[in-house]
Structures are given as C-alpha cells and as structure tokens.
Amino acid sequence: MFEKLRVFADIGRVQGITTTASIAIVGAFTSTAQVEWFHIIYFTIVACFAHMALNTYIAIGDIELDVHTYVPSRNPVTSGELSIKDAFNFVYIGTISCAALILILLYYSWNISSFLALLCFIPSYIWLIWYGWKGKKFIISYDFSFSISYAFFVLFGVFGIGGMPTIYTWIFIGIVFFAATAFAQWENGLKDVDADRSVGVRSFAVLTNVKNNKKLHLFHPYFVYGSLLKIGFIICCLITFLYYSNLYFLMFIVLYGIPSQIFIMYRFLTKRLPIDHRITILFDVVFAAILGYSVIIGKTGFIPILFLMIYLIGGYLIGSWVQSKCEFKFSRFS
C-alpha cells in the first residue's frame, strides 16, 4: 500500500506542493486582509490536490517525452508502475477535490472576494491543463504557461482570504513571473532539451538550438534570455526598495540577492551535464525563494518570511523523502 502511495507521490511530484502553496500564501500576505492559520491550511490542501492532479496530467502527456530523458523512471507511467487509467482517475479525483474546496469557500464566505477567488482559480488550473495537453507544442506557451497560471494563483490567495490586492501583490506577481515560473521553465528547457526536441516541443531552448551535454557560452541567445529573466527578477526586488525605502533591504539585495543570482547563472554557464543542472536548480529554488519572499517584508515584517522559508524547505524535504524515484530526490546527490 505504501509503495502504491509512493508511486502517486512520484507522479504528482509532492516535493513541490509547498512551493505551489506558498504562491497563494504569499499572495494572501500581500492582501489587505489578515492571514489566519486556517488560511494557510486551506491553501496547503488546495495546492496538494491541484499540484498533484496537474503534474499527473502533465506526466500522462509526457509519456513519450520521458522515454527520451536521462531519468525515464521519473514518470511511473513510462516505467509501467502506474497504468494510464489509474493516472487519469487520480487527475479526476484531484480536480473534483479542488472544485469541492472552492465551493466550500464560496459557501462559507459568499462575497465579491470569494467570487473573484473562483474567477482566478479557474484560469490558473485550466492554463496548466492546456500546457499538459497541447501547450508545449506552441512557441511561448511552453515557457510562459506556468507564469500566467501562477500569477492567477497569487490573486487566488489574495481574494481567497477576503482581501484585495496591494502594491506588494503586483510586485510579487512580477517575482513569480520572472523567478518562480519563467526561469524554472528556462532551467527545465535546458535540462531536457534533447528529449523535448525529439517529440516536437517548441521551447526557446529547442528554438535556439541548445543541446544536452554541451555548455552554453556567454553570448548564446538562450543564456542571454535566461540572464534577462534574472535581471527582471532583480528589478522587481529593486522596485520593492523604491516603495519600501529601507536601506537595509537595499543592502540585502546588493550583498545577497545579486551575488546569489550571478552564482546560479555562472553554474548554468559552466556546467554541461543534466545532473549538474539538477543540483543548480535545487540551489536556485532556495536562493530565489529567500530573495523572492523578501519583497513582502515592508508589508509583513520578518517573521512571516522566516515561516515561509521553513514551510518551503520543510515541505520539500518531506516530499523528497516520501517519493521513491523523484528526479529531484536529495539522496540522488549523496
């Protein structure tokens, strides 16, 4: 029984549940309403079902692609551990559960904010259904579907607790756009480019003729594109400083933010193997999260940001432990 659960944990990529949930939670922290403990539990449960259902649906569409990756075992359907029927049933259950949770929100808090939360959740969910169905085969769609979906998920967090957006909400949407999603797709596009090319995925990595096991160079169009995404991330942080006007925050950006992002890009420039890129991605998750969450400090203070980091890393460690053949399982690097 436990092994079966681990198979579903693998295909649902449970190590990323708290990452997804934190998008809505930070959105809630940026709103005009007060965040309570039960809001965090609610967003975690919603993210659990949405994250796992959507990743399972994407994995079903990636059956052929994953055969060509360097870790085909990351997809339990490809390895034969899970049938397509069971995978689809899991998607249906997750989707119905999400719908039920949204209806519960509407039932207990019927107001304009709850209705707006529904209107934001629907495109957030459907956009990644599109990504898993056909979105990878279209230019721009591969690279920015998650950005659009997560932007709506930030707003779901804002409206889900009965609040309205603030300037910090729009700044964090910029952070999500550049750091949490667009650059995550840049990383995955680099890591899996040969597999993507073999099945007709139209990522920027494929279009700029990137190849696995070959280093990028400083002026390669794909590296320039990735650098621009990181610069956009830093600019969003600097916009926070202009609004927050705190010298210590500026020092944090200069002494930690910029060097940490230069380090990430240096690794992507000098490493060539997919396994090295996996390690760099894990570095980036932590480094970018610390910087990205910090943009709400003028609204929340330091304690919520510390909580978010413990929540993110703790969830990632627990999820990584539960999974068996996760591509990003920490023991793979020991």
Side-chain angles (χ1 to χ4, degrees):
M1 181 64 178
F2 182 68
E3 287 304 315
K4 188 70 171 181
L5 291 174
R6 295 188 83 170
V7 171
F8 284 112
D10 277 337
I11 197 168
R13 301 191 179 191
V14 297
Q15 90 279 0
I17 287 173
T18 53
T19 305
T20 296
S22 71
I23 300 298
I25 293 170
V26 175
F29 275 125
T30 68
S31 78
T32 56
Q34 180 68 34
V35 179
E36 305 290 349
W37 63 268
F38 52 84
H39 293 137
I40 294 172
I41 293 175
Y42 177 78
F43 289 132
T44 302
I45 295 172
V46 170
C48 181
F49 286 111
H51 179 92
M52 293 185 70
L54 288 168
N55 272 293
T56 300
Y57 183 75
I58 291 169
I60 293 170
D62 283 348
I63 293 172
E64 183 183 354
L65 185 152
D66 284 332
V67 171
H68 297 280
T69 65
Y70 68 106
V71 193
S73 61
R74 70 185 184 182
N75 190 331
V77 177
T78 300
S79 63
E81 297 173 276
L82 188 68
S83 69
I84 293 179
K85 180 181 178 181
D86 286 344
F88 268 117
N89 287 338
F90 190 65
V91 174
Y92 299 146
I93 292 170
T95 303
I96 292 169
S97 299
C98 285
L101 287 164
I102 301 302
L103 290 175
I104 289 171
L105 175 65
L106 292 172
Y107 179 78
Y108 283 101
S109 180
W110 178 249
N111 53 42
I112 186 63
S113 290
S114 297
F115 182 67
L116 290 172
L118 169 66
L119 291 183
C120 289
F121 185 82
I122 290 173
S124 176
Y125 200 87
I126 290 177
W127 203 274
L128 292 187
I129 292 290
W130 154 253
Y131 172 83
W133 178 47
K134 293 287 186 182
K136 290 187 174 186
K137 302 297 179 71
F138 289 84
I139 299 173
I140 298 178
S141 178
Y142 173 93
D143 291 83
F144 294 106
S145 286
F146 276 87
S147 297
I148 297 170
S149 173
Y150 274 43
F152 279 111
F153 204 55
V154 172
L155 293 173
F156 170 69
V158 170
F159 298 126
I161 65 167
M164 296 299 287
T166 66
I167 186 65
Y168 289 101
T169 304
W170 306 116
I171 292 172
F172 186 66
I173 285 176
I175 293 292
V176 165
F177 184 89
F178 288 111
T181 51
F183 194 75
Q185 288 301 93
W186 184 91
E187 295 169 323
N188 284 309
L190 174 65
K191 175 172 61 65
D192 296 330
V193 64
D194 286 350
D196 286 341
R197 184 180 288 110
S198 70
V199 296
V201 170
R202 302 280 284 171
S203 69
F204 288 157
V206 171
L207 296 175
T208 55
N209 204 31
V210 175
K211 291 182 173 60
N212 281 146
N213 302 315
K214 281 190 66 176
K215 291 181 181 179
L216 296 174
H217 58 77
L218 191 61
F219 299 106
H220 191 288
Y222 197 66
F223 185 78
V224 172
Y225 163 58
S227 300
L228 290 175
L229 290 175
K230 283 296 187 185
I231 290 170
F233 178 27
I234 296 295
I235 288 173
C236 288
C237 296
L238 291 172
I239 290 173
T240 302
F241 164 71
L242 294 176
Y243 183 75
Y244 181 39
S245 298
N246 184 291
L247 184 59
Y248 291 110
F249 183 70
L250 178 62
M251 291 173 61
F252 174 72
I253 295 172
V254 172
L255 298 178
Y256 166 78
I258 294 175
S260 69
Q261 300 310 294
I262 290 174
F263 170 72
I264 292 298
M265 294 309 295
Y266 169 78
R267 280 191 60 92
F268 279 121
L269 185 66
T270 57
K271 306 294 182 181
R272 64 181 180 84
L273 298 178
I275 190 170
D276 293 324
H277 295 326
R278 273 195 300 179
I279 297 170
T280 307
I281 288 170
L282 288 174
F283 279 133
D284 190 45
V285 167
V286 177
F287 293 166
I290 293 172
L291 184 57
Y293 292 155
S294 73
V295 300
I296 68 171
I297 193 168
K299 175 75 166 54
T300 65
F302 175 72
I303 298 300
I305 296 172
L306 178 62
F307 161 77
L308 286 164
M309 288 309 308
I310 295 171
Y311 177 82
L312 174 73
I313 296 173
Y316 208 99
L317 287 170
I318 293 170
S320 175
W321 172 77
V322 170
Q323 291 176 261
S324 174
K325 297 178 180 178
C326 168
E327 181 183 8
F328 291 97
K329 193 174 177 67
F330 282 94
S331 61
R332 287 181 181 270
F333 308 108
S334 60

